[in-house]
Amino acid sequence: VEGRARIERDAETALEEWISRSPNRVVVATFSSNAFRLRAVLRIARERGRKVCLLGMSVLKHTETARALGLIPSVDDLLVAPEQVDDLPRDQVLILAGGTQGEPASALTRLGRDEHARVHLEAGDTVIFSSRASSSQRSAVKLGSWTMRRPE
């Protein structure tokens, strides 16, 4: 069935708005299994002139699977490796990260704690949580959100 559910249209509109008005680096954290959300973020990044770094094993695997199934168009020209992120102008980078549920070893948690080996956030970077948390996972997400605060 062609088309998108209202929640996906609403999410895509909100993502477009937030990404468009973010003057620095943007991190979008979402469920990596949501191919429609991945496609939306990749489209928005392309239209806004941002390179995309896929951060986290799950994000890498799900993006590759979605591409193989034809759910996402080729994005090879859009992607950059984690070690290239710090070399690009901050307003030209979007990081698509896994870990919205606050998993301790996730890419998002390591970014928030400044423990990622290759990518580091700076004051003024925007982190967008584009997912829902179940009631049993809210405390982990709150902890993950708390660890992402950076002094200006």
Side-chain angles (χ1 to χ4, degrees), residues 3-34:
R4 297 176 294 168
R6 180 174 175 250
I7 194 164
E8 281 306 313
R9 283 192 312 267
D10 293 348
E12 189 169 345
T13 299
L15 281 167
E16 192 153 16
E17 185 177 311
W18 277 97
I19 293 167
S20 295
R21 67 180 179 189
S22 298
N24 295 311
R25 189 176 294 149
V26 175
V27 177
V28 176
T30 191
F31 292 120
S32 59
S33 59
N34 187 336

Side-chain angles (χ1 to χ4, degrees), residues 19-127:
I19 293 167
S20 295
R21 67 180 179 189
S22 298
N24 295 311
R25 189 176 294 149
V26 175
V27 177
V28 176
T30 191
F31 292 120
S32 59
S33 59
N34 187 336
F36 298 105
R37 194 74 49 90
L38 296 175
R39 181 176 62 194
V41 171
L42 292 166
R43 178 193 62 77
I44 294 164
R46 182 180 303 283
E47 289 175 1
R48 299 293 172 254
R50 290 181 183 263
K51 294 291 187 179
V52 176
C53 174
L54 302 176
L55 214 51
M57 290 303 297
S58 185
V59 170
L60 287 165
K61 288 179 183 179
H62 281 93
T63 301
E64 183 57 39
T65 300
R67 287 191 324 190
L69 294 171
L71 299 173
I72 294 174
S74 177
V75 291
D76 292 339
D77 62 318
L78 195 61
L79 301 179
V80 294
E83 53 272 7
Q84 295 174 296
V85 168
D86 286 338
D87 296 332
L88 295 170
R90 290 172 63 209
D91 64 341
Q92 294 177 17
V93 176
L94 185 144
I95 299 167
L96 191 49
T100 58
Q101 301 306 301
E103 302 93 338
S106 72
L108 187 63
T109 298
R110 288 182 289 135
L111 277 175
R113 292 182 176 157
D114 200 24
E115 295 172 351
H116 197 279
R118 296 186 178 108
V119 179
H120 306 279
L121 298 179
E122 298 176 30
D125 290 345
T126 299
V127 179

Side-chain angles (χ1 to χ4, degrees), residues 138-152:
R138 284 197 176 106
S139 61
V141 173
K142 286 179 185 175
L143 175 62
S145 299
W146 180 81
T147 62
M148 302 214 92
R149 294 188 184 129
R150 290 276 184 257
E152 291 288 336

